Amino acid sequence: MAKLIAKAFPEGDYFLTENEKAMLNMVKERFNRIAVVLNVGGIVDVSWIKNDDRISAALLGWQGGMEGGLAMAELLLGKGNPSGKLTDTFAASLDDYPSTENFHESCDYVNYTEDIYVGYRYFETFQPKKVRYEFGYGLSYTDFEITVHNTHAVEGNIVVILSVTNTGDTYSGKEVVQVYYEAPQGKLGRPVRTLAAFQKTALLKPGETEEMTITFPVTEMAAYDDGGYTGHKSCYVLEAGTYGIYVGNSVRNAKQVSVDGKEAYVIQNTEVVEVLEEALAPQKAFTRMKPGARLEDGSYELIMEEVPLRSINLRERIEERLPEEN
């Protein structure tokens, strides 16, 4: 397996090439303060940034096309202010991603043992200590203060009323406010955090404040029951229990807020949100991740369970729905 992974992630893919390492060493020999620009198309190793005090900043430019270089230059010179946020998790090591072990197990199939625990949902639920830079993270040349004034449940929606203030004294900038929820584990098992909504401010001058209202439907917190664990197979359901609402500027830097004066949003009885039907459930058995006991740090023990297999004859179902021949 190790050899297979090594072939799948050679130098220049997830890791730096030898030429890139040599260039970096040459720069470090000549300068004490270094800003790195990452011109990449996906997640890469960042241990060499995190572990080196001489690298004081990293600009994740992705692949911005023909104008990307000019945009990054403006940001580095302070003519603009970065306001992007990470859309994935940068882990400490390639081995920390659960897909690394299974993705190259076979050339014929992939066992998605992560199930719904992909990206930040996996790390926040099972391995919070393995994270270098969390989902939603992103620095600015200024600072912001997010103040939540009220959170209500109104006509089937969660409504968060807040304000964002640029507390710096030099640079204008934009902030991205992120709203997450924590659903009860119940019978289905849920991630510790799930992004529900987000919104970016306008360009705020130093000292300027913007009032914001962020809304998302309660039904967005539902989960799909593929095995009938709640008694509602092939349905989206809201299990009974408390749903914590969190507001901040990253998945880690988000604080729980009260809803209508209560600690969390409460659903008294399990509700069916959408009724569907089984179609392409797996035919071959394999296991998938599920939270076990809650640990002291707020994460969960990782356990494995068998996935529910297909219980219908898909061919017969399709034939039943074909129009009859004349």
Side-chain angles (χ1 to χ4, degrees):
M1 179 62 65
K3 292 182 179 179
L4 194 59
I5 292 173
K7 290 181 180 179
F9 297 99
E11 290 185 344
D13 188 302
Y14 181 78
F15 301 102
L16 294 177
T17 64
E18 289 300 322
N19 286 338
E20 288 169 334
K21 293 176 184 177
M23 178 181 66
L24 181 62
N25 288 332
M26 182 177 64
V27 172
K28 290 197 292 186
E29 289 173 359
R30 291 163 173 79
F31 301 95
N32 292 322
R33 298 181 62 200
I34 302 167
V36 172
V37 176
L38 296 174
N39 178 21
V40 297
I43 299 299
V44 295
D45 175 41
V46 291
S47 60
W48 53 278
I49 298 174
K50 188 73 173 180
N51 299 330
D52 195 330
D53 293 337
R54 285 173 295 179
I55 300 177
S56 57
L59 176 63
L60 180 57
W62 297 114
Q63 294 174 337
M66 62 185 297
E67 295 297 326
L70 293 174
M72 285 184 277
E74 288 187 359
L75 294 176
L76 291 171
L77 292 172
K79 295 183 177 180
N81 195 347
S83 60
K85 302 291 183 174
L86 289 183
T87 56
D88 211 330
T89 302
F90 279 78
S93 167
L94 177 61
D95 294 332
D96 294 330
Y97 295 96
S99 59
T100 301
E101 181 178 355
N102 295 321
F103 195 79
H104 302 283
E105 180 179 329
S106 170
C107 295
D108 300 320
Y109 63 87
V110 174
N111 281 339
Y112 286 96
T113 59
E114 304 98 304
D115 197 55
I116 62 172
Y117 301 97
V118 176
Y120 75 93
R121 297 174 182 84
Y122 167 79
F123 287 102
E124 299 307 313
T125 306
F126 301 114
Q127 294 289 352
K129 296 179 181 179
K130 301 291 188 179
V131 175
R132 293 283 194 198
Y133 301 104
E134 74 269 19
F135 177 85
Y137 177 82
L139 296 179
S140 168
Y141 293 143
T142 189
D143 296 306
F144 299 92
E145 181 179 356
I146 300 172
T147 304
V148 177
H149 302 296
N150 239 319
T151 306
H152 298 292
V154 180
E155 297 181 349
N157 296 303
I158 301 295
V159 180
V160 183
I161 301 172
L162 57 94
S163 61
V164 183
T165 301
N166 181 346
T167 58
D169 54 12
T170 304
Y171 289 97
S172 298
K174 301 178 182 180
E175 178 63 296
V176 180
V177 182
Q178 303 162 40
V179 181
Y180 297 85
Y181 66 86
E182 179 177 5
Q185 287 299 332
K187 297 178 180 179
L188 295 177
R190 304 295 297 276
V192 166
R193 294 286 184 277
T194 301
L195 181 66
F198 62 92
Q199 188 170 324
K200 180 178 282 192
T201 67
L203 185 66
L204 301 179
K205 298 177 182 179
E208 188 176 4
T209 298
E210 179 178 339
E211 306 292 332
M212 300 177 71
T213 299
I214 301 179
T215 303
F216 69 93
V218 171
T219 54
E220 288 294 312
M221 298 190 291
Y224 185 67
D225 185 351
D226 59 357
Y229 304 103
T230 65
H232 304 283
K233 189 176 185 298
S234 302
C235 296
Y236 277 95
V237 298
L238 281 165
E239 289 192 84
T242 58
Y243 290 72
I245 307 299
Y246 298 79
V247 180
N249 62 3
S250 80
V251 70
R252 291 285 176 89
N253 191 29
K255 297 180 180 179
Q256 186 171 3
V257 298
S258 60
V259 181
D260 291 324
K262 299 179 181 178
E263 184 177 1
Y265 181 74
V266 179
I267 293 180
Q268 299 293 344
N269 301 298
T270 295
E271 302 174 11
V272 177
V273 171
E274 186 176 8
V275 178
L276 302 169
E277 60 182 26
E278 180 187 326
L280 295 176
Q283 298 185 78
K284 183 178 180 180
F286 64 97
T287 58
R288 65 181 178 185
M289 298 176 183
K290 188 176 182 180
R294 191 148 203 176
L295 306 176
E296 292 183 0
D297 64 358
S299 64
Y300 284 85
E301 174 190 12
L302 192 157
I303 61 175
M304 304 300 290
E305 68 171 8
E306 294 288 334
V307 300
L309 300 179
R310 190 177 302 177
S311 62
I312 64 168
N313 187 314
L314 189 59
R315 181 181 294 276
E316 290 182 358
R317 176 167 291 182
I318 293 173
E319 290 177 349
E320 289 175 356
R321 299 184 178 185
L322 291 176
E324 294 183 4
E325 295 183 4
N326 294 327

